Amino acid sequence: MANVIDDATIEYVGILAKLELSGEEKEQAKKDMGKMLDYIDSLNELDTSGVEPMTNVFPVKNVFREDVVTNGDTRDLTIANAPEEKDGQFVVPKTVD
Amino acid sequence: MSLMQLTAVELGKKIKAGEVSVVEAATAALDAIEKRDAKYHCYVTVVDRETVLKKAAEVQAKIDAGELTGPLAGVPVAIKDNMCTEGLLTTCSSKILGNFVPTFSSEAVLNLEKAGAVILGKTNMDEFAMGSTTETSAYGVTKNPWNEEHVPGGSSGGSAAAVAAEECFYALGSDTGGSIRQPASYCGVVGMKPTYGTVSRYGLIAYGSSLDQIGPMAKDVTDVATILECIASHDPKDSTSVARTEEEYRFTDALVDDVKGLKIGIPRDYLGEGLDPEVKESILAAAKALEAKGAIVEEFDLSLVEYAIPAYYVIASAEASSNLERFDGVKYGYRAKEYEGLHQMYKKTRSEGFGPEVKRRIMLGSFVLSSGYYDAYYLKALRTKALIKKAFDKAFEKYDIILGPAAPTTAPKLGSSLSDPIKMYLGDIYTISVNLAGLPGITVPCGFDSKGLPIGLQMIGDCFAEKTLIRAAYAFEQTHPYTRANVEE
């Protein structure tokens, strides 16, 4: 396997991905990612010099519209989905001391 | 004959003629679900009978009043569980959205409702549409109505199986790398992925935004064209939505049995290693049938086919890692029970809420977008995408349609795919490049293998050439009418 994912990398990716992996999951993730990157490395066989990266298939232009509220007040329904709410607001763990 | 054997358009006609009431049709569908869904598990959520029948009566009243006159008025439908439906549980087959009730409906669903659709429920899928078998669902596996030991395909496996099992009259699916076309092929039904931007993605829970498209799944090409005509629209709420001409939106105009002079190319690259010989034989026989009707068929080299999958997994995973950041346990869905502080709450919520395949793709996506790897992986994949698009552009200079298999094999057995992700990914080899290039594609049933499992023919068109595809698919269908799965009545 050409791509060896070390503990530090998996730790770093875990931070970026906001995932907390168990020891076993980390080992599996290292293997899976290594294998996947080996497979993805086949793209290096292609000469892409001078090729512009294509984000969108069709030419894109900025799409503007008037900033008008059309969906009415759905606060109660929205809040009903919250894992925790108080007085019509989302409750989250304390973030600032 | 059971009502459930009718196509959506056939039922629509009977409703219009007053031969069948909307309540009767909805009752038949709910009875079928009640009878068969314990076996096939096509649905994650079935709307309760009272609500469905109330809606059916409302639609009937509008039909009677002449307010609803379209071909799908009163026809019951199943919706893939990644499309938001107002007031109706939408889980994406994930634990993290296990209790999510949207406050709005996706534009495609709204378009159907405006046309008088009656929603039966939400269909099972691979979690967040990541998978090819519907086995990554947090809510159990769906079984293939042709053989319960086999998968229905994925990720729109529940929608495909619900059509084949006659537990709905038609369904909506979504296709990011083949997720409509491959399950349609495995379940012996018709499925279509339109040109990127044709159907609004507003309210579709995003996986790979540059690739995702909603499309129809049904028993025949007439249904698929009719449904597409209904759901396609230019939507200011989706900035990638494309405005098409009125004539272009009239997809049913293309339901014509005529392929004389149509130039069809079969990529040699689609017939090589990895393709099951029985599938190959069936696909080539389908090409012959079109040739006999006057199409000009030849083989050609498309090139770059083997690079589509690695490019796709970089791009789709990158977009997924960004799109799925919103699931953090704050505004909706699952929240971990025990945690210390905000960051641990995010991490534990996501780690407990997402399944293994979703985590794998979020990790890969986060990696390829990270500083130091972005150019080598992400930009490289986008450059590859540009080359793939160019290869298709070249092919469409010469051909009206590209024809090939939808998948290398028929439906694999349950439990045989998830242990080797790369092997599972390779099953998408014929469908995935279509999403990278934004093209429309359709699969129609074209035969069976020796195990009695359906084989799907895939046809790919140039951007905005849905009507050419529909015409070719319709013409082929005349030589190969729909075969029902042997579902218990």
Side-chain angles (χ1 to χ4, degrees), chain A residues 16-19, chain B residues 128 130 205-210 212 313-328 332 350 354 358-359 361-370 374 378:
Chain A
L16 294 174
K18 292 195 181 71
L19 288 170
Chain B
F128 283 102
M130 298 178 192
I205 297 173
Y207 159 23
S209 312
S210 74
D212 298 339
Y313 277 94
V314 172
I315 294 167
S317 300
E319 292 182 13
S321 74
S322 169
N323 277 327
L324 270 60
E325 268 187 58
R326 71 193 64 175
F327 303 106
D328 57 7
Y332 40 69
R350 292 164 60 79
F354 291 135
V358 173
K359 285 189 212 174
R361 294 194 198 187
I362 293 177
M363 297 279 284
L364 180 67
S366 302
F367 179 80
V368 300
L369 289 178
S370 67
Y374 181 84
Y378 185 62

Side-chain angles (χ1 to χ4, degrees), chain B residues 440-457:
Chain B
I442 191 167
T443 45
V444 282
C446 67
F448 297 90
D449 69 1
S450 49
K451 289 177 288 211
L453 292 166
I455 298 169
L457 168 74

Side-chain angles (χ1 to χ4, degrees), chain B residues 243-279:
Chain B
R244 317 254 312 242
T245 64
E246 242 182 71
E247 200 242 326
E248 277 186 326
Y249 280 122
R250 284 199 301 269
F251 298 105
T252 49
D253 285 358
L255 294 166
V256 181
D257 182 11
D258 177 17
V259 287
K260 264 186 215 82
L262 193 79
K263 293 190 283 288
I264 299 177
I266 307 177
R268 269 182 216 104
D269 340 39
Y270 279 22
L271 301 174
E273 204 189 332
L275 179 63
D276 182 285
E278 289 184 314
V279 174

Side-chain angles (χ1 to χ4, degrees), chain A residues 13 17-18 20 25 32 37 39 41-43 45-46 48 51 54-55 57-58 81-84 91 95, chain B residues 101 196 304 307 309 329-332 335 342 350-351 359-360 363 367 377 380 382-383 385 389 437:
Chain A
V13 173
K18 292 195 181 71
E20 190 175 81
E25 278 181 315
D32 286 348
L37 293 177
Y39 178 53
D41 280 342
S42 68
L43 293 180
E45 295 161 14
L46 279 177
T48 52
V51 180
M54 180 185 262
T55 326
V57 178
F58 308 126
N81 272 308
E84 206 182 331
V91 174
T95 50
Chain B
V101 181
Y196 184 75
L304 300 173
Y307 300 108
I309 297 178
V330 173
K331 298 190 206 72
Y332 40 69
R335 179 186 286 191
L342 185 69
R350 292 164 60 79
S351 303
K359 285 189 212 174
R360 194 181 285 138
M363 297 279 284
F367 179 80
Y377 289 105
K380 181 78 187 181
L382 290 183
R383 290 190 169 96
K385 174 180 166 170
K389 173 80 168 85

